[in-house]
Amino acid sequence: MPVAVTTDWSFRADDVTKVYKGGVRANDGLTLRIEPGEVYGLLGPNGAGKSTLVKQVIGLLAPTSGTLAIGPHDLVAHPEVARQLCSYLPQAQMPIDAFRASEAIELTGRIRGGDRATVRARTDALMDALGIEEWRTAMGLKLSGGVRRLVGFAMAVVVPGRLVILDEPTNDIDPLRRRLLWRQVRALSEQGCAVMLVTHNVLEAEKAVDRLAVVLDGRIVAEGTPSSLKAEDRGRLRLQVMLVPGSDTPESPPWLHSAVRVGNSLVTALDEADAGHGITWAQGLVDAGTAEEYALGASTLEDAYIRLTGHVSDDDEA
Amino acid sequence: MIATLDAPAWAPTTTLRSGAGYWWTGFTWMLRWHLSSLRMWLMLLVMVQALIGVGYVLGFALFFDEIPPAAALWVSTGVPVLNLILLGMLLGPQLVAGVKEQGGYDFVQALPVPLTAAAAAWYVVTLVGGLPGMVITLVAAELRYHPPFAISPLVVPVTLLIVFTGTMIGYALAHAITKPMTTQLITQALVFVAMGFAPILFPAEQMPGWLASVNEWLPLGPMATIMRDTLTDGLIADAGRAYLVVTVWGVACGWLAVRALGRRR
């Protein structure tokens, strides 16, 4: 199968450290590499340092030390080159209140150097492919959050750079159109773009990425394919217990591998052999009035994420 | 480099853009971006500018039973400058602050546009928003006072220079200060302090001597001087120094603005 991949246009971050004024160490020796055609997930809780890395890549922040490069180009020394080689969808909503949807996409494409015919055709194709063609001439102000987000995505990728950075691209988007968006992300990688997906939605990332890194406190604590990161959880189950609001966290039996509480949800992991114990224990909590319900299921990437970060991914829908 | 024949036209390129073509593309499309994103706001801006200008021109006559011709001429030639200063130094920065608050600032900053092209586009936007108000103010002054205007063609480059200097001062402030709220406070304070203590609507001779000398080095008084020089005959004896001061401020602030725009923290 012919794949339009150019050679040696990988994105490299090498030992990137960013210490803010005031001493906060937001990135602490980050090293990673994204190949052309690869969708790479950057996962981690809020404040882990993901956005700091992104802002250094696109030249809004300067690293304290370390290098960033795409192909033969040094992005730290030449932020103006970085702006040409990278396309960026920020997590915040785009400033498109006064634009018609198609106009916002086309203007971005022209600013990024696309010619009239290419940009127009690509805008139409993207709006169709994302299922937002009926809002072509609607003003940004009138768009729902999800449609606005999709217009933003189209703006970011209408004339894509070698590295496409997507920060929480599916926020506010309905499940059906999320799937359409992921298809376009895959189309970008097929044309040789390196895609950096920044997210804290682990379940969604599991399906979308080729490789991923888990970032915590400015460091990469694990890197690999989704299945390699799940390897340690093979043979394990996840037991999730919904506690009664206000109740204390019950003491964990010794056969539970981890227990993380977020709000009223207690997420734990246990060996398949201990499934019986788990059900008895959880049912006991329900009977004692400590818990409302529980669910036992196969372990996911989320369990690896919880094990690595001590956080539950913030968004449960996927 | 390997690329297949069926790669679409939008596929990512390895060629970097540069030179005059790159600058021009960035300038024209950034300009269109601003004009589109501000289209509602620009109309409002022109109306507010006209209101401020006409209000000042008409309101000043109320200080007198019969406004002396000299006062009428000073006001008629000062208010258009007031229009332009308000525009570049107050409204421009507040607009940038507004965009920062909306959160889309990072996206616009990350677009591949040369910094000087981005600044130039912003300058033209300011001109588009400011010139109608200035013209309306002058027309109102003419209708109300019939002052002895002697408009020289130099009024065009002088207006461009005043707007440039005002815009770049405001633009540098807006991009150099991280917090939008701080930008708004500082530019408001700056504009009102500067306007109260700068000889824009009245002759510098009526100020304390030391304040008049300070103003010779600041941009606002000289802006009014060079505008007067092109709108009247004989009101200004020697405007050479004023031209120089405004130009130096413009160049310096233009340089600062581009630096602030490209600054990484």
Side-chain angles (χ1 to χ4, degrees):
Chain A
M1 192 180 78
V3 180
V5 172
T6 52
T7 50
D8 217 28
W9 277 86
S10 60
F11 162 77
R12 283 104 55 203
D14 193 18
D15 205 13
V16 171
T17 294
K18 175 66 183 177
V19 183
Y20 284 112
K21 264 183 240 163
V24 177
R25 190 170 278 264
N27 286 171
D28 191 0
L30 286 181
T31 297
L32 62 92
R33 181 185 178 94
I34 309 177
E35 301 297 336
E38 187 175 38
V39 180
Y40 187 98
L42 211 54
L43 273 71
N46 289 327
K50 309 182 300 280
S51 295
T52 299
L53 177 67
V54 168
K55 287 185 179 180
Q56 293 171 93
V57 175
I58 55 176
L60 299 182
L61 292 173
T64 309
S65 66
T67 60
L68 293 158
I70 294 177
H73 300 286
D74 178 345
L75 306 184
V76 179
H78 302 287
E80 73 285 359
V81 170
R83 285 196 283 270
Q84 288 194 44
L85 291 175
C86 303
S87 322
Y88 172 51
L89 174 66
Q91 189 176 349
Q93 284 288 18
M94 294 285 201
I96 56 167
D97 280 359
F99 292 99
R100 278 181 286 278
S102 61
E103 181 188 24
I105 302 169
E106 284 182 29
L107 275 173
T108 312
R110 297 306 301 269
I111 292 173
R112 291 200 55 85
D115 65 73
R116 185 191 175 88
T118 305
V119 167
R120 182 149 295 174
R122 170 85 169 140
T123 300
D124 288 347
L126 272 172
M127 294 195 88
D128 289 347
L130 294 170
I132 53 173
E133 63 277 13
E134 63 183 284
W135 290 280
R136 200 178 297 273
T137 56
M139 298 298 279
L141 194 62
K142 303 257 167 77
L143 299 177
S144 71
V147 174
R148 205 182 161 100
R149 194 75 188 140
L150 287 160
V151 172
F153 172 78
M155 289 164 73
V157 305
V158 56
V159 176
R162 302 295 324 180
L163 175 68
V164 177
I165 302 169
L166 307 171
D167 195 344
E168 303 289 358
T170 57
N171 274 3
D172 298 337
I173 298 176
D174 62 83
L176 185 74
R177 290 201 179 84
R178 284 186 182 205
R179 217 168 300 157
L180 301 177
L181 183 145
W182 290 125
R183 210 174 286 164
Q184 290 310 305
V185 171
R186 196 39 78 182
L188 290 168
S189 75
E190 280 165 6
Q191 294 306 325
C193 295
V195 180
M196 182 193 285
L197 170 68
V198 181
T199 184
H200 48 225
N201 185 335
V202 180
L203 293 177
E204 202 169 58
E206 178 171 6
K207 294 178 211 150
V209 305
D210 299 313
R211 271 190 321 134
L212 64 107
V214 177
V215 184
L216 187 67
D217 297 332
R219 286 191 211 95
I220 292 179
V221 292
E223 191 188 33
T225 62
S227 51
S228 74
L229 288 182
K230 280 195 297 189
E232 202 172 311
D233 294 304
R234 212 158 279 152
R236 285 186 184 177
L237 296 170
R238 124 199 289 246
L239 176 62
Q240 185 166 11
V241 181
M242 290 305 295
L243 299 169
V244 171
S247 65
D248 294 331
T249 306
E251 204 175 307
S252 295
W255 38 265
L256 277 186
H257 291 293
S258 62
V260 176
R261 178 173 181 172
V262 174
N264 298 312
S265 167
L266 185 69
V267 182
T268 69
L270 66 163
D271 290 336
E272 278 168 359
D274 291 322
H277 290 129
I279 292 172
T280 312
W281 175 69
Q283 187 59 49
L285 294 173
V286 173
D287 293 342
T290 315
E292 289 174 337
E293 58 177 353
Y294 63 91
L296 187 67
S299 70
T300 64
L301 186 62
E302 167 120 35
D303 298 289
Y305 181 82
I306 291 170
R307 175 162 48 73
L308 290 162
T309 65
H311 286 260
V312 175
S313 124
D314 295 14
D315 189 348
D316 279 339
E317 52 174 322
Chain B
M1 211 168 78
I2 311 156
T4 52
L5 290 174
D6 57 354
W10 56 265
T13 145
T14 50
T15 335
L16 290 181
R17 296 185 288 146
S18 62
Y22 174 43
W23 194 95
W24 186 248
T25 303
F27 169 74
T28 49
W29 291 101
M30 212 54 226
L31 179 58
R32 290 224 198 166
W33 171 279
H34 287 313
L35 291 179
S36 294
S37 80
L38 301 175
R39 56 186 140 214
M40 299 309 291
W41 192 85
L42 278 174
M43 272 168 26
L44 203 65
L45 174 70
V46 168
M47 279 158 50
V48 169
Q49 284 274 27
L51 269 176
I52 293 174
V54 173
Y56 257 95
V57 164
L58 300 185
F60 240 79
L62 304 177
F63 283 101
F64 308 92
D65 285 337
E66 178 91 34
I67 189 165
L73 186 57
W74 276 88
V75 169
S76 302
T77 51
V79 176
V81 180
L82 214 57
N83 271 142
L84 300 182
I85 293 171
L86 267 178
L87 177 74
M89 287 177 62
L90 189 64
L91 300 172
Q94 298 205 344
L95 207 60
V96 175
V99 174
K100 276 189 184 175
E101 257 170 0
Q102 275 182 30
Y105 184 71
D106 282 357
F107 175 75
V108 177
Q109 288 289 94
L111 289 172
V113 177
L115 300 176
T116 51
W122 188 249
Y123 168 58
V124 175
V125 170
T126 315
L127 278 177
V128 171
L131 292 187
M134 175 187 157
V135 171
I136 292 169
T137 301
L138 280 173
V139 169
E142 167 65 26
L143 293 177
R144 175 69 180 78
Y145 302 119
H146 305 293
F149 279 142
I151 300 177
S152 110
L154 265 182
V155 72
V156 175
V158 158
T159 303
L160 295 181
L161 177 64
I162 291 173
V163 174
F164 181 80
T165 301
T167 307
M168 289 303 131
I169 293 172
Y171 201 55
L173 279 172
H175 287 279
I177 301 168
T178 323
K179 289 210 172 60
M181 277 293 280
T182 318
T183 309
Q184 303 209 354
L185 282 175
I186 289 185
T187 50
Q188 283 180 21
L190 200 75
V191 164
F192 286 106
V193 169
M195 284 191 331
F197 297 98
I200 295 173
L201 296 177
F202 48 83
E205 295 84 62
Q206 295 180 16
M207 310 179 94
W210 65 271
L211 193 53
S213 343
V214 170
N215 266 298
E216 285 183 12
W217 299 99
L218 296 178
L220 302 188
M223 282 181 184
T225 302
I226 62 176
M227 179 60 84
R228 256 176 211 117
D229 189 43
T230 64
L231 290 179
T232 62
D233 205 3
L235 190 62
I236 301 297
D238 180 13
R241 178 208 179 86
Y243 279 102
L244 191 67
V245 169
V246 176
T247 308
V248 169
W249 272 91
V251 171
C253 287
W255 182 77
L256 282 175
V258 167
R259 283 206 28 152
L261 194 57
R263 187 165 141 226
R264 291 174 289 173
R265 280 161 217 286

